[in-house]
Amino acid sequence: MEGDPSVRDEGDSAEARPYRSHLYPACLPCKRRKSRCRTTDSSGICIMCRAHGTDCIYPRPGDNSQRGSVALPRKLTPKSRQARAAQPKKRRSASASLHSQEASNHAVDTVSPQREFGLQIINRPAASLEAPSCPPTHDHFSREAFPNLVGIVAEAGDDSSHIVSPAVAEDNDVLESYLSTVPDARRRSIIRTDPNSRRPVRPVLFNTVPRRPLGVSANQSLPATKCEFIEKYLEPGVNDVVDLFFHYVNICFPIFDEMSFRHVYCTHKENISPALLCNLYANALIYWENSPSLRSGHYPDIRFIWNQANEALHSELFLSPGISTVMAIILNVCGRPSTSMFGNGGMVGTAVALSNALGLNRDPSNWNIRPMEKGFRIRIWWLVLIHDRWCSLAYGTPLHIHRAQYDVPYPTMDDLCPPNASHSQIAAALVFLSLITLTELLGTYLQHVYKVSESSPYPPETSSVDLERLLTDWEESLSDDIRCIVLRGTYLDAPGAANFRLAYLAVKLLLRRIQLDLDVDTMKADDDTTSPFYTQAQRAAEEIVHLVKELDESHCRGFWIPVHAFSLTSATTFLLRSGLRRRNARSNAPLNLAKDMVSTLRSHRNRFSWDLADNCLATCSDLVENLSSVDAGNDSLSAVPAFQELDFCNPPFLDELLLGFPGLSDSVEI
């Protein structure tokens, strides 16, 4: 290059940057190449970078370290600006268009020097790679103004970000130094933690991978068609359905930032993921009767709408999976009425796999993204984890997420509540945060439930006292208002409070069952009724019955996590188990409570359309009637010797008694 006369003239000109100038250090690629860094008076890119086709980036002022520094664009000198301004308009517009196209194709994003970050980023973070694929049609559409649009808009690009294994993330420094010298090389996106952080965390590395299988086009016609069909079906009440969702669901289970979503929905609805919209509409239909304007109209076929939403979701999952797909799965699994155990369990596993691939399991607190986007990623991760924990308890399947595999902090009140939040929004946010911590406690208990390998040291053996202390410490950590909901069952009118109270009682019943099993194994006794934890487990089941009896119409028509229906069944079956043990007693309180549970659930189902009652009624109603008739016959025929000789503990007799109730003869332990 030194033999080129044109280069020599440019370097010797008065306006060019002098060689070895301390005021203008060499760019990072020239430093790596150990080559002379020169520029012309009409361009902000040095000659060597133009020749190699690399990005001409410079270290931060005052930063002497080369590795891991954030690059700044070269600032033009006053004469350079004048020379650029003197260019013809057509040439300038073409140059600007070309520069814009090159910037969109490069993986490295320059950072504005006016903005300070606690994190240094080379290339674009994963959340930014999930950019909207559809260009905005209005001038005021701006992701800068609404950073929570990530995940809401449809993702139809050919490539997507995918997290790289931490085992190979350290290799990125060597690869980056090489790729910087290769023209048009595919670059990686690495998120470095703050060097001043006390936590020794490895870099988070994202790679660009094809979004869909080879040969499959980005055709979103099926989800879009399903969404349009649902909207036509619900007209003219589509906007009322959206209002129902935010009033009853999103306030208790905050999937969206309401302000951001409503802005896009009103101005750029065509850019929203159609599968996400389909599942939002279907999720809100269970609250149809709560709207005065919708109640007077034709009640839609919920199952038909859910089938359309499921087809749209599966199509997007195959064509263009992304964060919007994770959000659609959250809405799908949280939808009511819940009828598919296999489908929901598979969807939860898919959501966990996608979340891990998108890096949602990593703490974004020190990432170079906006605070609202950090809160969005944190919130979505905890919603996925809530589904994983409670579906594991309900469906009897092991956990997909383990505590050592994520470091995401809890959401804050600022993440959940807008600045002008109402009293109901604040109360709902407090309940949601308490539900998250309770879900973490549930995960600890479930590890003991699903441990089947004797040789595995994890989870470590824990005594009943230690397990009890975990629940006690959690109760002590709650605020006064939340403690009243949990321990006394008051303030259930707060959004999500009744659902939270049932969740707490379900965890308490699970703890008593675990303690009972540990105590029986220690005593090596055949009769577990002698254990003190048996009575405590029965009391926990009774508390669930009392909660159900206290529910009114506003509670039944409010928000519920659908898998809590299995907690009602669990409490009823334990009461039936206790009732069979008390067959010779004068009063059979557990059996009477089971009868009260079934009758109350049937009343709630008929009067308030409470779908959570369906599972318990289908499983236990006929069994309760059968056992009640036997118990009544026991009182009237107690003087008959033939009836007294019946052995209620004889397995063949119980099999005949429970005939027609598959699986219940196994679930009721005698």
Side-chain angles (χ1 to χ4, degrees), residues 519-551:
D519 195 43
V520 170
D521 292 341
T522 302
M523 296 187 306
K524 298 186 181 301
D526 296 333
D527 188 6
D528 55 4
T529 57
T530 58
S531 171
F533 295 110
Y534 189 92
T535 303
Q536 296 183 27
Q538 181 177 320
R539 295 292 179 267
E542 292 176 4
E543 288 186 87
I544 294 179
V545 177
H546 295 319
L547 170 64
V548 173
K549 296 173 68 174
E550 293 170 359
L551 298 179

Side-chain angles (χ1 to χ4, degrees), residues 147-372:
N148 267 13
L149 301 187
V150 55
I152 298 178
V153 295
E155 303 169 33
D158 293 333
D159 294 329
S160 176
S161 61
H162 192 290
I163 197 168
V164 177
S165 171
V168 299
E170 298 290 349
D171 301 341
N172 187 73
D173 287 335
V174 179
L175 295 177
E176 279 295 319
S177 62
Y178 170 74
L179 292 176
S180 63
T181 63
V182 180
D184 300 329
R186 173 175 289 185
R187 309 292 294 276
R188 297 187 177 190
S189 171
I190 182 171
I191 299 179
R192 299 182 183 277
T193 55
D194 188 350
N196 298 324
S197 176
R198 299 178 180 178
R199 300 173 55 214
V201 183
R202 293 179 177 178
V204 180
L205 179 66
F206 290 89
N207 205 356
T208 302
V209 298
R211 185 183 296 277
R212 60 188 60 85
L214 184 64
V216 177
S217 61
N219 185 6
Q220 286 280 355
S221 59
L222 178 60
T225 301
K226 296 296 182 182
C227 183
E228 183 179 1
F229 183 82
I230 292 176
E231 290 177 343
K232 292 293 183 182
Y233 186 88
L234 297 178
E235 284 183 352
V238 178
N239 291 331
D240 293 329
V241 172
V242 175
D243 292 338
L244 284 177
F245 173 81
F246 281 100
H247 185 75
Y248 289 98
V249 181
N250 199 75
I251 189 175
C252 303
F253 214 61
I255 301 173
F256 300 104
D257 175 74
E258 183 175 358
M259 181 182 66
S260 300
F261 180 88
R262 288 188 180 275
H263 170 78
V264 183
Y265 187 81
C266 294
T267 59
H268 302 83
K269 188 169 69 172
E270 68 278 1
N271 290 338
I272 301 179
S273 165
L276 186 60
L277 274 181
C278 288
N279 283 271
L280 184 151
Y281 295 143
N283 190 286
L285 292 183
I286 196 69
Y287 309 98
W288 183 276
E289 294 293 332
N290 296 354
S291 172
S293 58
L294 296 176
R295 189 188 310 144
S296 58
H298 174 70
Y299 190 80
D301 186 348
I302 295 183
R303 181 47 48 196
F304 175 76
I305 298 297
W306 269 120
N307 290 338
Q308 306 303 310
N310 288 333
E311 292 184 24
L313 175 57
H314 284 87
S315 178
E316 181 179 286
L317 183 62
F318 178 73
L319 291 176
S320 57
I323 293 184
S324 62
T325 313
V326 177
M327 300 170 68
I329 292 176
I330 293 173
L331 290 174
N332 189 281
V333 177
C334 194
R336 296 164 47 197
S338 180
T339 58
S340 177
M341 183 183 299
F342 278 104
N344 289 339
M347 279 295 177
V348 170
T350 302
V352 173
L354 278 176
S355 299
N356 290 329
L358 297 170
L360 295 178
N361 63 319
R362 299 302 302 270
D363 180 8
S365 300
N366 292 327
W367 290 12
N368 187 10
I369 55 179
R370 291 179 178 269
M372 290 184 65

Side-chain angles (χ1 to χ4, degrees), residues 376-649:
F376 164 79
R377 295 179 65 90
I378 292 173
R379 193 172 65 249
I380 294 301
W381 170 256
W382 284 109
L383 293 174
V384 172
L385 185 137
I386 287 174
H387 276 320
D388 177 55
R389 297 289 192 263
W390 291 102
C391 287
S392 175
L393 174 64
Y395 300 156
T397 54
L399 300 172
H400 294 94
I401 303 174
H402 299 279
R403 189 61 189 88
Q405 298 170 352
Y406 63 93
D407 59 350
V408 183
Y410 294 140
T412 63
M413 290 295 293
D414 294 336
D415 297 332
L416 302 177
C417 295
N420 55 345
S422 62
H423 177 74
S424 297
Q425 290 175 319
I426 295 175
L430 291 173
V431 170
F432 178 71
L433 292 177
S434 301
L435 177 63
I436 288 178
T437 56
L438 178 64
T439 303
E440 281 277 77
L441 180 61
L442 172 64
T444 303
Y445 291 155
L446 289 176
Q447 291 174 358
H448 295 273
V449 172
Y450 294 116
K451 182 179 180 180
V452 295
S453 176
E454 298 294 338
S455 60
S456 175
Y458 186 82
E461 295 295 335
T462 307
S463 64
S464 299
V465 177
D466 294 334
L467 294 175
E468 181 75 29
R469 186 179 297 112
L470 292 176
L471 182 61
T472 303
D473 293 342
W474 177 82
E475 294 172 349
E476 295 296 329
S477 66
L478 302 175
S479 62
D480 293 339
D481 293 339
I482 300 298
R483 281 173 59 87
C484 291
I485 296 175
V486 167
L487 302 180
R488 301 179 184 177
T490 57
Y491 303 137
L492 294 183
D493 292 333
N499 172 81
F500 177 55
R501 166 74 172 164
L502 178 57
Y504 164 74
L505 295 179
V507 172
K508 190 175 181 180
L509 177 58
L510 175 65
L511 171 62
R512 301 307 180 211
R513 288 178 179 272
I514 296 174
Q515 291 175 323
L516 177 60
D517 292 339
L518 293 176
D519 195 43
V520 170
D521 292 341
T522 302
M523 296 187 306
K524 298 186 181 301
D526 296 333
D527 188 6
D528 55 4
T529 57
T530 58
S531 171
F533 295 110
Y534 189 92
T535 303
Q536 296 183 27
Q538 181 177 320
R539 295 292 179 267
E542 292 176 4
E543 288 186 87
I544 294 179
V545 177
H546 295 319
L547 170 64
V548 173
K549 296 173 68 174
E550 293 170 359
L551 298 179
D552 56 22
E553 182 177 4
S554 63
H555 300 140
C556 293
R557 296 190 184 277
F559 172 79
W560 296 91
I561 295 179
V563 291
H564 283 342
F566 291 86
S567 300
L568 305 178
T569 306
S570 175
T572 306
T573 54
F574 193 90
L575 291 173
L576 291 174
R577 166 183 172 178
S578 301
L580 286 174
R581 297 291 178 83
R582 297 174 60 88
R583 62 190 181 277
N584 295 325
R586 292 186 177 181
S587 61
N588 197 332
L591 183 58
N592 293 333
L593 284 171
K595 293 167 58 178
D596 291 343
M597 171 71 94
V598 171
S599 61
T600 304
L601 290 177
R602 186 176 288 113
S603 174
H604 289 343
R605 188 67 177 95
N606 296 333
R607 297 171 57 196
F608 311 132
S609 301
W610 197 41
D611 54 290
L612 265 70
D614 292 343
N615 183 267
C616 185
L617 292 177
T619 305
C620 302
S621 58
D622 292 342
L623 178 59
V624 168
E625 294 178 2
N626 200 347
L627 294 179
S628 299
S629 62
V630 172
D631 187 67
N634 190 15
D635 293 337
S636 60
L637 300 176
S638 58
V640 181
F643 189 84
Q644 292 178 340
E645 293 175 359
L646 292 177
D647 188 2
F648 278 83
C649 289

